[in-house]
Amino acid sequence: MLINVHGHLLPRNVWSDKHWDLLASQVASSLNLPKETVFEQMLPQIWNIDAERLVEVMDSAGIDKAMIMGVDFGMSWVGEAPWSVEEMNHYIAKQVEEYPDKLAGICGVDPRRGERAIKILEKAVEEWGMVAVKIWPVTGFYPDDREFWPFYEKCVELGVPVHSHTASVIFPGQESKWADPIYLDGVASHFPDLKIVMVHFGAPNWTYKCVGIMSGRPNVYVEISGHQTFAAAMPQRWLSDLRYYLNIPSVSAGRSIGDRIMFGTDWPLGVQLALIGLSEEVWVDWVKKIPEKGKEYGLKFTQEEVKKILSDNAKKIHKL
Ligand SMILES: [Zn+2]
């Protein structure tokens, strides 16, 4: 079973007009296109994707299961979306419900919403069957703020992992400083029973920092969505780094670094907006062929190591 732990469904109402407008400007300037073209032709392609289309793409790429996450940017300066956070998460849950064998939901909520965030999370997990929660510190907070301890306590109680963005920021209006993985170390330390997933595995230049934290904290995991561009552009460097991570001696039985890396794609944002260079199909194939590709550079990888990344680790961590 091949599992993608990072996917989205993004109808227009999940983000404010201001966010879509800023995103359109950014894509327009990076692709040298008029902003109207992005707004009228590219964004609608994202807005119109539903679970049915998502599953079609998964099928043609050979992805058996995808985790679909809500995104809550409402407390950043782009402002609240037309849908409330409850409505947005409920939409994801309903879409997931249509393909229970293929999809699993991740609740997206900003822990700064306090009591309300906890209530949304509870509902998402207990009523809607969501299997994890995603937080997005780049919208303006450090995840180790003590104010969020009740939120993490609830995650432990519900048994759901916390996925937190750790990568350079591509969205306008957000800041990379909050994505520094070091701000998850304190959370991992205070909540040893909480599973923390460092989303995007610190891409591109915080990966060593992520591994540094993981080597001391057996409850910290990573997923590799966003790494497509770097792996394809610099295969030797990317593969030799991966070999190094997998060789690091384990601090805890069954929790070596290789037991804690998961596959992810971040579809459809990256591909549809040309922010990520590889399609789902090509990225899946790329990771599957790691043992062959490694050989070209004198690096030895086993099928078992790749299987853990593509399947076993995500299954174990999210109890799929
Ligand atoms: Zn994403």
Side-chain angles (χ1 to χ4, degrees):
M1 179 187 266
L2 204 153
I3 303 171
N4 168 19
V5 301
H6 191 143
H8 294 282
L9 289 171
L10 297 162
R12 187 170 183 164
N13 284 343
V14 303
W15 278 329
S16 68
D17 282 349
K18 184 167 182 176
H19 177 77
W20 287 115
D21 190 64
L22 288 166
L23 188 57
S25 301
Q26 184 192 316
V27 172
S29 81
S30 67
L31 298 179
N32 205 16
L33 288 171
K35 188 169 149 189
E36 293 68 39
T37 310
V38 177
F39 230 104
E40 287 159 21
Q41 292 173 28
M42 296 177 81
L43 293 186
Q45 287 181 35
I46 289 182
W47 296 334
N48 295 333
I49 292 168
D50 58 7
E52 191 183 350
R53 172 73 189 128
L54 177 70
V55 167
E56 274 170 24
V57 173
M58 287 165 62
D59 286 346
S60 59
I63 296 170
D64 300 297
K65 190 141 197 158
M67 299 176 64
I68 308 303
M69 60 189 67
V71 280
D72 179 8
F73 289 180
M75 297 195 69
S76 73
W77 63 269
V78 298
E80 296 289 353
W83 279 349
S84 70
V85 189
E86 288 87 348
E87 285 171 318
M88 177 271 295
N89 279 297
H90 194 212
Y91 165 81
I92 303 281
K94 296 296 275 180
Q95 290 285 308
V96 163
E97 236 175 61
E98 290 183 30
Y99 297 90
D101 299 333
K102 288 265 174 191
L103 305 176
I106 297 183
C107 173
V109 69
D110 189 321
R112 284 174 295 177
R113 295 188 189 276
E115 267 300 307
R116 185 173 162 214
I118 293 173
K119 283 209 176 83
I120 294 169
L121 176 63
E122 247 176 347
K123 189 171 218 173
V125 175
E126 288 179 340
E127 285 182 34
W128 301 336
M130 287 179 151
V131 298
V133 62
K134 167 81 183 275
I135 60 171
W136 209 289
V138 285
T139 57
F141 62 89
Y142 288 113
D144 63 353
D145 193 319
R146 299 305 189 259
E147 178 195 339
F148 307 142
W149 265 206
F151 180 80
Y152 298 130
E153 275 161 17
K154 181 54 75 177
C155 294
V156 173
E157 189 191 314
L158 294 168
V160 289
V162 176
H163 291 226
S164 184
H165 178 100
T166 60
S168 305
V169 172
I170 50 173
F171 287 137
Q174 302 182 352
E175 294 176 40
S176 292
K177 66 174 182 179
W178 288 304
D180 188 331
I182 199 69
Y183 297 107
L184 288 165
D185 184 61
V187 184
S189 158
H190 280 84
F191 297 94
D193 295 329
L194 177 65
K195 293 185 176 101
I196 296 168
V197 179
M198 292 175 164
V199 175
H200 305 308
F201 194 1
N205 283 345
W206 281 331
T207 48
Y208 277 57
K209 206 170 194 177
C210 291
V211 169
I213 295 164
M214 290 170 89
S215 64
R217 308 280 180 214
N219 53 331
V220 174
Y221 303 78
V222 292
E223 57 101 323
I224 59 171
S225 68
H227 276 253
Q228 294 93 314
T229 312
F230 310 109
M234 302 168 287
Q236 184 170 10
R237 170 69 190 258
W238 197 85
L239 288 166
S240 62
D241 277 352
L242 179 63
R243 187 62 269 161
Y244 161 69
Y245 307 145
L246 298 180
N247 286 349
I248 291 174
S250 174
V251 286
S252 180
R255 303 269 188 103
S256 70
I257 303 290
D259 293 313
R260 290 184 278 153
I261 300 178
M262 296 177 282
F263 178 72
T265 70
D266 209 356
W267 197 83
L269 266 180
V271 173
Q272 299 291 111
L273 298 180
L275 300 167
I276 283 174
L278 306 188
S279 69
E280 300 287 281
E281 214 167 331
V282 174
W283 182 220
V284 166
D285 192 56
W286 205 102
V287 176
K288 274 187 182 165
K289 288 191 176 141
I290 283 177
E292 288 165 51
K293 288 180 193 294
K295 260 186 214 158
E296 287 174 38
Y297 307 109
L299 299 161
K300 196 170 174 256
F301 292 95
T302 65
Q303 292 295 347
E304 183 59 24
E305 285 170 332
V306 175
K307 189 169 162 279
K308 282 184 181 183
I309 294 173
L310 284 171
S311 171
D312 300 353
N313 295 342
K315 215 190 281 180
K316 207 170 5 170
I317 292 158
H318 297 96
K319 300 180 196 133
L320 295 173

